[in-house]
mmCIF file with all atom_site columns, all heavy atoms in Angstrom:
data_model
loop_
_atom_site.group_PDB
_atom_site.id
_atom_site.type_symbol
_atom_site.label_atom_id
_atom_site.label_alt_id
_atom_site.label_comp_id
_atom_site.label_asym_id
_atom_site.label_entity_id
_atom_site.label_seq_id
_atom_site.pdbx_PDB_ins_code
_atom_site.Cartn_x
_atom_site.Cartn_y
_atom_site.Cartn_z
_atom_site.occupancy
_atom_site.B_iso_or_equiv
_atom_site.pdbx_formal_charge
_atom_site.auth_seq_id
_atom_site.auth_comp_id
_atom_site.auth_asym_id
_atom_site.auth_atom_id
_atom_site.pdbx_PDB_model_num
ATOM 1   N N   . ASP H 1 115 ? 127.477 127.652 93.944  1.00 98.00 ? 115 ASP H N   1
ATOM 2   C CA  . ASP H 1 115 ? 128.618 126.798 94.012  1.00 98.00 ? 115 ASP H CA  1
ATOM 3   C C   . ASP H 1 115 ? 128.387 125.433 93.396  1.00 98.00 ? 115 ASP H C   1
ATOM 4   O O   . ASP H 1 115 ? 129.324 124.741 92.752  1.00 98.00 ? 115 ASP H O   1
ATOM 5   C CB  . ASP H 1 115 ? 129.194 126.552 95.392  1.00 98.00 ? 115 ASP H CB  1
ATOM 6   C CG  . ASP H 1 115 ? 129.592 127.875 96.042  1.00 98.00 ? 115 ASP H CG  1
ATOM 7   O OD1 . ASP H 1 115 ? 130.646 128.494 95.647  1.00 98.00 ? 115 ASP H OD1 1
ATOM 8   O OD2 . ASP H 1 115 ? 128.891 128.327 96.901  1.00 98.00 ? 115 ASP H OD2 1
ATOM 9   N N   . GLU H 1 116 ? 127.134 124.876 93.361  1.00 98.00 ? 116 GLU H N   1
ATOM 10  C CA  . GLU H 1 116 ? 126.842 123.675 92.886  1.00 98.00 ? 116 GLU H CA  1
ATOM 11  C C   . GLU H 1 116 ? 125.407 123.567 92.492  1.00 98.00 ? 116 GLU H C   1
ATOM 12  O O   . GLU H 1 116 ? 124.542 124.036 93.190  1.00 98.00 ? 116 GLU H O   1
ATOM 13  C CB  . GLU H 1 116 ? 127.141 122.687 93.978  1.00 98.00 ? 116 GLU H CB  1
ATOM 14  C CG  . GLU H 1 116 ? 127.269 121.265 93.481  1.00 98.00 ? 116 GLU H CG  1
ATOM 15  C CD  . GLU H 1 116 ? 127.724 120.316 94.609  1.00 98.00 ? 116 GLU H CD  1
ATOM 16  O OE1 . GLU H 1 116 ? 128.554 120.747 95.462  1.00 98.00 ? 116 GLU H OE1 1
ATOM 17  O OE2 . GLU H 1 116 ? 127.444 119.137 94.560  1.00 98.00 ? 116 GLU H OE2 1
ATOM 18  N N   . HIS H 1 117 ? 125.113 122.937 91.334  1.00 98.00 ? 117 HIS H N   1
ATOM 19  C CA  . HIS H 1 117 ? 123.806 122.614 90.882  1.00 98.00 ? 117 HIS H CA  1
ATOM 20  C C   . HIS H 1 117 ? 123.451 121.247 91.482  1.00 98.00 ? 117 HIS H C   1
ATOM 21  O O   . HIS H 1 117 ? 124.288 120.344 91.285  1.00 98.00 ? 117 HIS H O   1
ATOM 22  C CB  . HIS H 1 117 ? 123.578 122.633 89.424  1.00 98.00 ? 117 HIS H CB  1
ATOM 23  C CG  . HIS H 1 117 ? 123.775 123.947 88.824  1.00 98.00 ? 117 HIS H CG  1
ATOM 24  N ND1 . HIS H 1 117 ? 124.308 124.300 87.544  1.00 98.00 ? 117 HIS H ND1 1
ATOM 25  C CD2 . HIS H 1 117 ? 123.406 125.157 89.350  1.00 98.00 ? 117 HIS H CD2 1
ATOM 26  C CE1 . HIS H 1 117 ? 124.235 125.617 87.387  1.00 98.00 ? 117 HIS H CE1 1
ATOM 27  N NE2 . HIS H 1 117 ? 123.719 126.242 88.305  1.00 98.00 ? 117 HIS H NE2 1
ATOM 28  N N   . ILE H 1 118 ? 122.294 120.982 92.044  1.00 98.00 ? 118 ILE H N   1
ATOM 29  C CA  . ILE H 1 118 ? 121.959 119.783 92.633  1.00 98.00 ? 118 ILE H CA  1
ATOM 30  C C   . ILE H 1 118 ? 120.795 119.192 91.952  1.00 98.00 ? 118 ILE H C   1
ATOM 31  O O   . ILE H 1 118 ? 119.791 120.109 91.554  1.00 98.00 ? 118 ILE H O   1
ATOM 32  C CB  . ILE H 1 118 ? 121.861 119.726 94.140  1.00 98.00 ? 118 ILE H CB  1
ATOM 33  C CG1 . ILE H 1 118 ? 120.913 121.016 94.640  1.00 98.00 ? 118 ILE H CG1 1
ATOM 34  C CG2 . ILE H 1 118 ? 123.245 119.816 94.835  1.00 98.00 ? 118 ILE H CG2 1
ATOM 35  C CD1 . ILE H 1 118 ? 120.827 121.088 96.102  1.00 98.00 ? 118 ILE H CD1 1
ATOM 36  N N   . HIS H 1 119 ? 120.652 117.979 91.885  1.00 98.00 ? 119 HIS H N   1
ATOM 37  C CA  . HIS H 1 119 ? 119.622 117.226 90.871  1.00 98.00 ? 119 HIS H CA  1
ATOM 38  C C   . HIS H 1 119 ? 118.920 116.143 91.815  1.00 98.00 ? 119 HIS H C   1
ATOM 39  O O   . HIS H 1 119 ? 119.513 115.738 92.768  1.00 98.00 ? 119 HIS H O   1
ATOM 40  C CB  . HIS H 1 119 ? 120.298 116.650 89.775  1.00 98.00 ? 119 HIS H CB  1
ATOM 41  C CG  . HIS H 1 119 ? 121.150 117.572 88.983  1.00 98.00 ? 119 HIS H CG  1
ATOM 42  N ND1 . HIS H 1 119 ? 122.517 117.753 89.147  1.00 98.00 ? 119 HIS H ND1 1
ATOM 43  C CD2 . HIS H 1 119 ? 120.755 118.686 88.111  1.00 98.00 ? 119 HIS H CD2 1
ATOM 44  C CE1 . HIS H 1 119 ? 122.937 118.733 88.375  1.00 98.00 ? 119 HIS H CE1 1
ATOM 45  N NE2 . HIS H 1 119 ? 122.039 119.288 87.803  1.00 98.00 ? 119 HIS H NE2 1
ATOM 46  N N   . GLN H 1 120 ? 117.782 115.614 91.186  1.00 98.00 ? 120 GLN H N   1
ATOM 47  C CA  . GLN H 1 120 ? 117.190 114.437 91.625  1.00 98.00 ? 120 GLN H CA  1
ATOM 48  C C   . GLN H 1 120 ? 118.283 113.286 92.027  1.00 98.00 ? 120 GLN H C   1
ATOM 49  O O   . GLN H 1 120 ? 119.071 112.933 91.141  1.00 98.00 ? 120 GLN H O   1
ATOM 50  C CB  . GLN H 1 120 ? 116.233 113.985 90.568  1.00 98.00 ? 120 GLN H CB  1
ATOM 51  C CG  . GLN H 1 120 ? 115.606 112.636 90.892  1.00 98.00 ? 120 GLN H CG  1
ATOM 52  C CD  . GLN H 1 120 ? 114.722 112.530 92.205  1.00 98.00 ? 120 GLN H CD  1
ATOM 53  O OE1 . GLN H 1 120 ? 114.209 113.566 92.463  1.00 98.00 ? 120 GLN H OE1 1
ATOM 54  N NE2 . GLN H 1 120 ? 114.577 111.307 92.749  1.00 98.00 ? 120 GLN H NE2 1
ATOM 55  N N   . GLY H 1 121 ? 118.160 112.814 93.187  1.00 98.00 ? 121 GLY H N   1
ATOM 56  C CA  . GLY H 1 121 ? 118.984 111.763 93.577  1.00 98.00 ? 121 GLY H CA  1
ATOM 57  C C   . GLY H 1 121 ? 120.337 112.075 94.183  1.00 98.00 ? 121 GLY H C   1
ATOM 58  O O   . GLY H 1 121 ? 121.080 111.234 94.701  1.00 98.00 ? 121 GLY H O   1
ATOM 59  N N   . ASP H 1 122 ? 120.796 113.412 94.078  1.00 98.00 ? 122 ASP H N   1
ATOM 60  C CA  . ASP H 1 122 ? 122.048 113.831 94.727  1.00 98.00 ? 122 ASP H CA  1
ATOM 61  C C   . ASP H 1 122 ? 122.061 113.688 96.104  1.00 98.00 ? 122 ASP H C   1
ATOM 62  O O   . ASP H 1 122 ? 120.822 113.660 96.685  1.00 98.00 ? 122 ASP H O   1
ATOM 63  C CB  . ASP H 1 122 ? 122.409 115.307 94.233  1.00 98.00 ? 122 ASP H CB  1
ATOM 64  C CG  . ASP H 1 122 ? 122.869 115.283 92.836  1.00 98.00 ? 122 ASP H CG  1
ATOM 65  O OD1 . ASP H 1 122 ? 123.146 114.319 92.222  1.00 98.00 ? 122 ASP H OD1 1
ATOM 66  O OD2 . ASP H 1 122 ? 122.947 116.518 92.269  1.00 98.00 ? 122 ASP H OD2 1
ATOM 67  N N   . ARG H 1 123 ? 123.053 113.696 96.799  1.00 98.00 ? 123 ARG H N   1
ATOM 68  C CA  . ARG H 1 123 ? 123.162 113.765 98.269  1.00 98.00 ? 123 ARG H CA  1
ATOM 69  C C   . ARG H 1 123 ? 123.832 115.002 98.755  1.00 98.00 ? 123 ARG H C   1
ATOM 70  O O   . ARG H 1 123 ? 124.763 115.430 98.036  1.00 98.00 ? 123 ARG H O   1
ATOM 71  C CB  . ARG H 1 123 ? 123.765 112.566 98.838  1.00 98.00 ? 123 ARG H CB  1
ATOM 72  C CG  . ARG H 1 123 ? 123.465 111.242 98.141  1.00 98.00 ? 123 ARG H CG  1
ATOM 73  C CD  . ARG H 1 123 ? 122.052 110.794 98.297  1.00 98.00 ? 123 ARG H CD  1
ATOM 74  N NE  . ARG H 1 123 ? 121.775 110.321 99.727  1.00 98.00 ? 123 ARG H NE  1
ATOM 75  C CZ  . ARG H 1 123 ? 121.084 109.206 99.904  1.00 98.00 ? 123 ARG H CZ  1
ATOM 76  N NH1 . ARG H 1 123 ? 120.620 108.457 98.885  1.00 98.00 ? 123 ARG H NH1 1
ATOM 77  N NH2 . ARG H 1 123 ? 120.644 108.831 101.010 1.00 98.00 ? 123 ARG H NH2 1
ATOM 78  N N   . VAL H 1 124 ? 123.383 115.628 99.778  1.00 98.00 ? 124 VAL H N   1
ATOM 79  C CA  . VAL H 1 124 ? 124.098 116.680 100.383 1.00 98.00 ? 124 VAL H CA  1
ATOM 80  C C   . VAL H 1 124 ? 124.508 116.204 101.740 1.00 98.00 ? 124 VAL H C   1
ATOM 81  O O   . VAL H 1 124 ? 123.720 115.874 102.576 1.00 98.00 ? 124 VAL H O   1
ATOM 82  C CB  . VAL H 1 124 ? 123.213 118.027 100.454 1.00 98.00 ? 124 VAL H CB  1
ATOM 83  C CG1 . VAL H 1 124 ? 124.056 119.137 101.188 1.00 98.00 ? 124 VAL H CG1 1
ATOM 84  C CG2 . VAL H 1 124 ? 122.774 118.406 99.084  1.00 98.00 ? 124 VAL H CG2 1
ATOM 85  N N   . LYS H 1 125 ? 125.802 116.335 102.026 1.00 98.00 ? 125 LYS H N   1
ATOM 86  C CA  . LYS H 1 125 ? 126.249 115.663 103.212 1.00 98.00 ? 125 LYS H CA  1
ATOM 87  C C   . LYS H 1 125 ? 126.907 116.753 104.296 1.00 98.00 ? 125 LYS H C   1
ATOM 88  O O   . LYS H 1 125 ? 127.494 117.730 103.818 1.00 98.00 ? 125 LYS H O   1
ATOM 89  C CB  . LYS H 1 125 ? 127.309 114.591 102.964 1.00 98.00 ? 125 LYS H CB  1
ATOM 90  C CG  . LYS H 1 125 ? 126.729 113.361 102.279 1.00 98.00 ? 125 LYS H CG  1
ATOM 91  C CD  . LYS H 1 125 ? 127.689 112.359 102.045 1.00 98.00 ? 125 LYS H CD  1
ATOM 92  C CE  . LYS H 1 125 ? 126.976 111.250 101.105 1.00 98.00 ? 125 LYS H CE  1
ATOM 93  N NZ  . LYS H 1 125 ? 127.770 110.113 100.836 1.00 98.00 ? 125 LYS H NZ  1
ATOM 94  N N   . ALA H 1 126 ? 126.792 116.536 105.552 1.00 98.00 ? 126 ALA H N   1
ATOM 95  C CA  . ALA H 1 126 ? 127.355 117.333 106.573 1.00 98.00 ? 126 ALA H CA  1
ATOM 96  C C   . ALA H 1 126 ? 127.484 116.488 107.680 1.00 98.00 ? 126 ALA H C   1
ATOM 97  O O   . ALA H 1 126 ? 126.456 115.995 108.403 1.00 98.00 ? 126 ALA H O   1
ATOM 98  C CB  . ALA H 1 126 ? 126.614 118.519 106.925 1.00 98.00 ? 126 ALA H CB  1
ATOM 99  N N   . GLY H 1 127 ? 128.801 116.069 108.168 1.00 97.00 ? 127 GLY H N   1
ATOM 100 C CA  . GLY H 1 127 ? 128.978 115.063 109.186 1.00 97.00 ? 127 GLY H CA  1
ATOM 101 C C   . GLY H 1 127 ? 128.209 113.856 108.744 1.00 97.00 ? 127 GLY H C   1
ATOM 102 O O   . GLY H 1 127 ? 128.363 113.278 107.625 1.00 97.00 ? 127 GLY H O   1
ATOM 103 N N   . ALA H 1 128 ? 127.428 113.218 109.626 1.00 96.00 ? 128 ALA H N   1
ATOM 104 C CA  . ALA H 1 128 ? 126.704 112.013 109.296 1.00 96.00 ? 128 ALA H CA  1
ATOM 105 C C   . ALA H 1 128 ? 125.369 112.264 108.745 1.00 96.00 ? 128 ALA H C   1
ATOM 106 O O   . ALA H 1 128 ? 124.602 111.381 108.404 1.00 96.00 ? 128 ALA H O   1
ATOM 107 C CB  . ALA H 1 128 ? 126.450 111.180 110.635 1.00 96.00 ? 128 ALA H CB  1
ATOM 108 N N   . ILE H 1 129 ? 125.087 113.533 108.469 1.00 97.00 ? 129 ILE H N   1
ATOM 109 C CA  . ILE H 1 129 ? 123.815 113.823 107.830 1.00 97.00 ? 129 ILE H CA  1
ATOM 110 C C   . ILE H 1 129 ? 123.993 113.537 106.234 1.00 97.00 ? 129 ILE H C   1
ATOM 111 O O   . ILE H 1 129 ? 124.944 114.080 105.688 1.00 97.00 ? 129 ILE H O   1
ATOM 112 C CB  . ILE H 1 129 ? 123.391 115.242 108.026 1.00 97.00 ? 129 ILE H CB  1
ATOM 113 C CG1 . ILE H 1 129 ? 123.200 115.442 109.520 1.00 97.00 ? 129 ILE H CG1 1
ATOM 114 C CG2 . ILE H 1 129 ? 122.201 115.659 107.226 1.00 97.00 ? 129 ILE H CG2 1
ATOM 115 C CD1 . ILE H 1 129 ? 122.900 116.882 109.845 1.00 97.00 ? 129 ILE H CD1 1
ATOM 116 N N   . ASP H 1 130 ? 123.061 112.845 105.681 1.00 97.00 ? 130 ASP H N   1
ATOM 117 C CA  . ASP H 1 130 ? 123.171 112.448 104.251 1.00 97.00 ? 130 ASP H CA  1
ATOM 118 C C   . ASP H 1 130 ? 121.780 112.702 103.784 1.00 97.00 ? 130 ASP H C   1
ATOM 119 O O   . ASP H 1 130 ? 120.836 111.873 103.919 1.00 97.00 ? 130 ASP H O   1
ATOM 120 C CB  . ASP H 1 130 ? 123.487 111.026 104.303 1.00 97.00 ? 130 ASP H CB  1
ATOM 121 C CG  . ASP H 1 130 ? 123.699 110.514 102.725 1.00 97.00 ? 130 ASP H CG  1
ATOM 122 O OD1 . ASP H 1 130 ? 123.453 111.283 101.828 1.00 97.00 ? 130 ASP H OD1 1
ATOM 123 O OD2 . ASP H 1 130 ? 124.156 109.357 102.622 1.00 97.00 ? 130 ASP H OD2 1
ATOM 124 N N   . LEU H 1 131 ? 121.672 113.984 103.182 1.00 98.00 ? 131 LEU H N   1
ATOM 125 C CA  . LEU H 1 131 ? 120.256 114.414 102.694 1.00 98.00 ? 131 LEU H CA  1
ATOM 126 C C   . LEU H 1 131 ? 120.133 114.118 101.295 1.00 98.00 ? 131 LEU H C   1
ATOM 127 O O   . LEU H 1 131 ? 120.983 114.338 100.491 1.00 98.00 ? 131 LEU H O   1
ATOM 128 C CB  . LEU H 1 131 ? 120.382 115.871 102.960 1.00 98.00 ? 131 LEU H CB  1
ATOM 129 C CG  . LEU H 1 131 ? 119.046 116.736 103.192 1.00 98.00 ? 131 LEU H CG  1
ATOM 130 C CD1 . LEU H 1 131 ? 118.244 116.203 104.395 1.00 98.00 ? 131 LEU H CD1 1
ATOM 131 C CD2 . LEU H 1 131 ? 119.470 118.154 103.436 1.00 98.00 ? 131 LEU H CD2 1
ATOM 132 N N   . GLU H 1 132 ? 118.933 113.444 101.052 1.00 98.00 ? 132 GLU H N   1
ATOM 133 C CA  . GLU H 1 132 ? 118.630 113.093 99.652  1.00 98.00 ? 132 GLU H CA  1
ATOM 134 C C   . GLU H 1 132 ? 117.841 114.236 98.856  1.00 98.00 ? 132 GLU H C   1
ATOM 135 O O   . GLU H 1 132 ? 116.928 114.688 99.466  1.00 98.00 ? 132 GLU H O   1
ATOM 136 C CB  . GLU H 1 132 ? 117.763 111.740 99.739  1.00 98.00 ? 132 GLU H CB  1
ATOM 137 C CG  . GLU H 1 132 ? 117.517 111.319 98.205  1.00 98.00 ? 132 GLU H CG  1
ATOM 138 C CD  . GLU H 1 132 ? 116.417 110.108 98.283  1.00 98.00 ? 132 GLU H CD  1
ATOM 139 O OE1 . GLU H 1 132 ? 115.865 109.901 99.421  1.00 98.00 ? 132 GLU H OE1 1
ATOM 140 O OE2 . GLU H 1 132 ? 116.186 109.506 97.262  1.00 98.00 ? 132 GLU H OE2 1
#
Side-chain angles (χ1 to χ4, degrees):
D115 298 291
E116 196 172 328
H117 293 147
I118 44 178
H119 310 96
Q120 168 66 29
D122 285 349
R123 318 296 286 229
V124 179
K125 298 182 183 183
I129 296 174
D130 187 355
L131 207 53
E132 181 190 10

